[in-house]
Amino acid sequence: MPEASLNDYLLFSGLLFAVGLAGVIARRNIIVIFMCLEMMLAAASLTLVAFSRFHTVDGLPDFDGQMLVFFIITVAAAEVAVGLAIIVALYRARQTINTDELDALKG
Amino acid sequence: MNTSWFLLLLPLLSALIIHFALKQRLATLASYYGTAATGAAFALAITLLGKTDSPSFEWISIGENFSIDIGLKLDKLSTGMMIVVTGIGLLVHLFSLGYMKDDAAKARYFGNLSLFMFSMTGIVLADNFLMMFIFWELVGLSSFLLIGHWYQKDSAADAAKKAFLTNRIGDFGFMIGILMIWSFSGSFVFDQISSGLAASTIHTCWLSIAVLLVFCGAIGKSAQAPLHVWLPDAMEGPTPVSALIHAATMVAAGVYMMARFFFAIGTENLDGLWAMNTITWIGGITSLLAALMATQQNDIKKILAYSTLSQLGYMVMAVGLAAPDAGMFHLFTHAWFKALLFLGSGAVIYACHHEQDIWQMGGLLKKMPITGITFIIGTLALTAVPFTSGFFSKEGILHAAHEAHSPFLWVAVGVAALTTFYMFRLIFVAFLGEPRSENAKKAKEVGLVMWLPLVLLAGMAIGSPYVGSIIPSSEDFKPVTEVHPEDALFWYSISAFVVGLAAACVFYLGKKKEPLNIPLFANKFYIDELYAGVVKFAQDLLAAVVHFFDEFIIHGLFVGGLTRSVQGLGHSFRRYIQSGNLQAYALVLGLGTVLVIYFTAFF
């Protein structure tokens, strides 16, 4: 089995990102939107890892990219904690998490 | 520093001090201070008499070859004129001490009088057109302030506005004229205009237009037809103001300016300009119309006002006949005797408790002998009785008309007869006969401070031509002070006098009410009504156009259209963009991202 090239990784992560974005735009359930958001973050992380793997410095992978991924994971974990807390608070206040019904900002 | 600057700055200083420091309880001090300052200016003017000098300093400099100077020009014309201005100014100040003794706003009156003295001095001494124009406007302003001194009266406030606005019309032409002269000759300075014009190749037709436009300023200030309407109304001001400003100095400024201008460009350059003909016509028409109007007026000051108009018409006629010297000579003599007549009428009005209708007077000669006799002396000078000042100067104008073979000789003679007629009508009605009202019965002679100026002015009304050195004119002008009975012109003016006097005797001697009734003259040829109609029509038309423009173009299209389009845009943003739907925002965000990526990657 041939080894995957950088293009394969980028294509895959692009697809992952597009699926995530489509989910964010199309779905009505905030939890699902949230999960799709995480998928987009994962796509970005995958790109970074792929670049890290294919960009060598002195025969070793360039670990800068991987380091950035750890940051993303950490920040995403914190963001999930805050985001889920907001969603719970929202549900308590409005008894719904359907975005069609959450239009208080309508002009 | 040159002493002539003090002559200019003294009245300014006095005006500033009076207006800013001497108010209310210090008003009496202000009146004495203003009089003393004018006296000092008069003394200075005497010391400067006959000097020739032109001190100046640069005021504005733009680029390399454009600069405006503030400069004084001392020569026979300006120093002589300064004697008239400060001399009559001093006497009027003296008279005002008595006349305005009990006025509530005495300090303001004397402050404005000083401001006027400053402005008039500026006009007389200016050595360039631009500086003259500045002081020209200042004179208009101070005249406005003084006519409107009793601004609580509507008629005074209206008269002040009318004078100012009418003058502005003339001044606008004057300004254009100055700029035209500047563009032809490249200079505002009087002494350089002649050489500048000689060097230029401008067509005489353009020069004519420029001369006429400059003359527009004189039409306004010297109250010539068709802008004469403000002068009779200006009699709403205090009578000493009428004597100083609206008889002796300010209204003479127009003639003075034309003389200054014509001396500057040289009378030989004026030959064959059609503008000169127009000026003569305007002067002749003004003098005739005003004399006709004067015959039917009943207000003593109005009669004198129309008489002033008529005499100014004479001077303008002389200027138009390319004889500015004759015009200036008449200006000089007229200033003294007309100031005398106005101050005399002021004394009469004061004695009769502000009664101005001559039919309410009568018999005043017995009650006020000094005023009466000086008034009659002034009348004799005005009606050109031989050996009075008015006779010699009027002869000068008749000679000028005769030499030019102008038909205006006959206009001048006719106006002389009319002048005699209306002035003796005034004398017969107001000073002779029986008193016809309580006020006239109780009238008594005015105090020393008021009759002294009358006596001094009466002296000048007789003797002014004999002190030839103070006559404002060109350097080589010699006034004729002899009577030539062999000359036909002498008999013309004598017969004009006799005809006028005889007519006045027939119609008015011993009469108790107006025997003649000519509505056309009494209503001043309906010119005021005509102007009111024209102005009203033009104003309504303009207002309609402006209203249309404002309502539909400005409001409907520009301001309204702009607000409506912004409002509509904001509305659609609110309706369609700010949906409040999370997904819609995300979609826009996503599309935006895609667009940004597309542009960064593929362009």
Side-chain angles (χ1 to χ4, degrees):
Chain A
M1 183 177 152
E3 201 175 330
S5 68
L6 178 60
N7 273 349
D8 297 335
Y9 282 108
L10 292 183
L11 193 65
F12 181 64
S13 95
L15 280 173
L16 206 56
F17 188 88
V19 169
L21 184 62
V24 167
I25 292 170
R27 299 305 297 263
R28 295 287 176 265
N29 188 321
I30 292 189
I31 299 289
V32 178
I33 291 174
F34 212 67
M35 287 179 345
C36 292
L37 214 61
E38 289 303 316
M39 205 144 74
M40 288 164 77
L41 278 172
S45 302
L46 180 61
T47 322
L48 286 165
V49 171
F51 277 123
S52 165
R53 167 72 182 76
F54 285 94
H55 183 251
T56 52
V57 181
D58 300 334
L60 289 171
D62 186 346
F63 290 113
D64 286 2
Q66 299 192 18
M67 205 178 69
L68 211 50
V69 171
F70 284 111
F71 271 107
I72 292 177
I73 291 169
T74 318
V75 171
E79 179 230 313
V80 166
V82 175
L84 284 176
I86 289 175
I87 291 171
V88 169
L90 183 71
Y91 182 75
R92 281 193 184 153
R94 307 290 292 270
Q95 305 301 317
T96 178
I97 46 170
N98 188 341
T99 53
D100 281 344
E101 294 166 31
L102 299 172
D103 55 357
L105 279 178
K106 187 176 171 129
Chain B
M1 191 165 140
N2 203 304
T3 47
S4 42
W5 291 107
F6 287 113
L7 192 52
L8 186 60
L9 294 179
L10 255 173
L12 174 64
L13 198 67
S14 152
L16 290 177
I17 288 179
I18 290 177
H19 271 306
F20 289 112
L22 303 175
K23 283 265 162 121
Q24 281 131 20
R25 277 182 297 139
L26 295 171
T28 312
L29 187 61
S31 62
Y32 290 127
Y33 180 72
T35 312
T38 315
F42 180 56
L44 253 180
I46 288 178
T47 64
L48 290 172
L49 192 60
K51 295 239 173 69
T52 46
D53 197 2
S54 49
S56 72
F57 62 88
E58 196 177 69
W59 181 41
I60 293 173
S61 170
I62 300 168
E64 279 180 12
N65 44 19
F66 182 83
S67 73
I68 299 168
D69 292 353
I70 292 288
L72 307 181
K73 183 168 168 55
L74 297 180
D75 57 5
K76 193 160 181 281
L77 186 65
S78 61
T79 54
M81 191 70 188
M82 276 321 293
I83 297 286
V84 176
V85 171
T86 55
I88 293 179
L90 178 61
L91 295 177
V92 164
H93 270 82
L94 269 181
F95 189 87
S96 300
L97 287 181
Y99 193 86
M100 305 295 283
K101 197 169 60 197
D102 304 320
D103 195 83
K106 194 155 65 163
R108 176 159 53 86
Y109 172 80
F110 277 92
N112 287 340
L113 220 49
S114 285
L115 180 66
F116 171 76
M117 294 299 291
F118 167 64
S119 331
M120 194 66 209
T121 311
I123 289 188
V124 173
L125 293 179
D127 83 331
N128 63 64
F129 255 137
L130 219 62
M131 180 179 165
M132 187 181 249
F133 185 75
I134 294 169
F135 284 99
W136 194 263
E137 294 299 325
L138 270 175
V139 162
L141 167 73
S142 39
S143 164
F144 167 81
L145 292 172
L146 285 165
I147 296 170
H149 179 70
W150 291 315
Y151 59 85
Q152 298 88 342
K153 259 198 315 186
D154 278 348
S155 56
D158 288 346
K161 267 184 287 185
K162 187 173 181 180
F164 194 79
L165 291 177
T166 314
N167 265 303
R168 278 304 308 160
I169 297 173
D171 292 349
F172 194 68
F174 186 31
M175 189 165 66
I176 300 172
I178 289 176
L179 292 176
M180 277 180 85
I181 293 287
W182 172 72
S183 70
F184 299 159
S185 69
S187 176
F188 288 118
V189 182
F190 294 122
D191 288 344
Q192 295 164 8
I193 286 177
S194 174
S195 55
L197 280 183
S200 77
T201 53
I202 198 74
H203 195 269
T204 52
C205 185
W206 284 109
L207 188 60
S208 263
I209 292 173
V211 167
L212 265 194
L213 283 169
V214 170
F215 178 63
C216 271
I219 292 182
K221 275 279 176 299
S222 290
Q224 296 298 296
L227 296 183
H228 64 278
V229 288
W230 68 270
L231 187 60
D233 289 26
M235 296 303 137
E236 287 293 336
T239 308
V241 167
S242 308
L244 176 63
I245 301 187
H246 306 120
T249 53
M250 169 178 145
V251 290
V255 179
Y256 175 82
M257 182 269 287
M258 289 314 282
R260 172 63 88 202
F261 177 43
F262 283 176
F263 290 148
I265 62 177
T267 32
E268 66 278 2
N269 281 334
L270 296 168
D271 283 341
L273 288 190
W274 52 263
M276 302 302 284
N277 245 328
T278 316
I279 294 174
T280 317
W281 269 95
I282 287 179
I285 288 172
T286 307
S287 97
L288 188 61
L289 284 187
L292 288 174
M293 295 180 209
T295 57
Q296 284 284 298
Q297 302 300 316
N298 294 326
D299 182 328
I300 183 167
K301 282 178 78 181
K302 285 267 165 75
I303 299 175
L304 294 177
Y306 283 107
S307 155
T308 306
L309 279 179
S310 165
Q311 299 300 312
L312 286 167
Y314 261 133
M315 298 170 207
V316 169
M317 202 156 74
V319 168
L321 292 166
D325 271 329
M328 283 307 291
F329 185 29
H330 195 56
L331 186 161
F332 168 75
T333 57
H334 172 261
W336 300 105
F337 62 69
K338 191 47 75 61
L340 165 64
L341 287 172
F342 264 108
L343 290 187
S345 77
V348 167
I349 292 167
Y350 185 81
C352 292
H353 299 97
H354 293 270
E355 177 58 64
Q356 304 202 1
D357 189 343
I358 54 171
W359 295 100
Q360 300 295 318
M361 297 174 186
L364 292 176
L365 184 59
K366 267 183 227 139
K367 298 188 181 295
M368 309 172 69
I370 303 175
T371 307
I373 289 168
T374 52
F375 198 92
I376 290 172
I377 291 175
T379 305
L380 294 180
L382 175 58
T383 53
V385 171
F387 301 108
T388 58
S389 61
F391 173 76
F392 297 120
S393 55
K394 205 173 271 187
E395 285 296 279
I397 293 177
L398 292 182
H399 268 288
H402 185 64
E403 275 163 30
H405 303 290
S406 167
F408 284 99
L409 175 63
W410 303 109
V411 174
V413 172
V415 170
L418 282 170
T419 307
T420 315
F421 175 69
Y422 66 70
M423 280 315 291
F424 278 97
R425 167 181 180 256
L426 170 58
I427 298 257
F428 291 157
V429 173
F431 286 93
L432 303 181
E434 292 301 312
R436 281 179 296 271
S437 72
E438 283 304 307
N439 284 336
K441 281 197 188 93
K442 278 186 264 171
K444 58 179 195 297
E445 186 57 86
V446 291
L448 168 76
V449 75
M450 286 168 82
W451 65 251
L452 183 68
L454 296 181
V455 172
L456 293 175
L457 282 170
M460 283 309 277
I462 303 287
S464 58
Y466 301 104
V467 271
S469 65
I470 64 170
I471 295 172
S473 61
S474 57
E475 298 294 339
D476 48 0
F477 176 71
K478 289 274 176 297
V480 182
T481 50
E482 292 129 29
V483 176
H484 294 285
E486 71 279 5
D487 196 341
L489 288 177
F490 172 78
W491 293 107
Y492 290 163
S493 42
I494 291 294
S495 48
F497 176 77
V498 171
V499 167
L501 182 59
C505 284
V506 168
F507 286 115
Y508 289 104
L509 198 56
K511 291 288 177 357
K512 286 199 167 44
K513 60 181 187 13
E514 179 69 68
L516 296 173
N517 194 7
I518 311 169
L520 184 65
F521 297 167
N523 290 309
K524 312 146 198 171
F525 291 89
Y526 300 101
I527 290 173
D528 275 319
E529 284 76 6
L530 177 72
Y531 283 180
V534 169
V535 166
K536 188 172 181 303
F537 175 72
Q539 195 168 310
D540 284 355
L541 194 69
L542 187 71
V545 171
V546 168
H547 178 256
F548 173 80
F549 192 75
D550 184 49
E551 190 65 35
F552 294 100
I553 309 289
I554 302 280
H555 181 236
L557 202 62
F558 291 134
V559 180
L562 201 65
T563 49
R564 267 198 297 280
S565 63
V566 170
Q567 204 178 22
L569 204 63
H571 190 63
S572 58
F573 265 119
R574 187 172 66 81
R575 280 285 297 278
Y576 304 111
I577 311 287
Q578 300 286 357
S579 61
N581 189 331
L582 191 62
Q583 263 82 25
Y585 295 146
L587 180 63
V588 173
L589 181 72
L591 284 178
T593 316
V594 170
L595 271 179
V596 168
I597 290 170
Y598 178 75
F599 279 114
T600 47
F602 297 101
F603 278 94

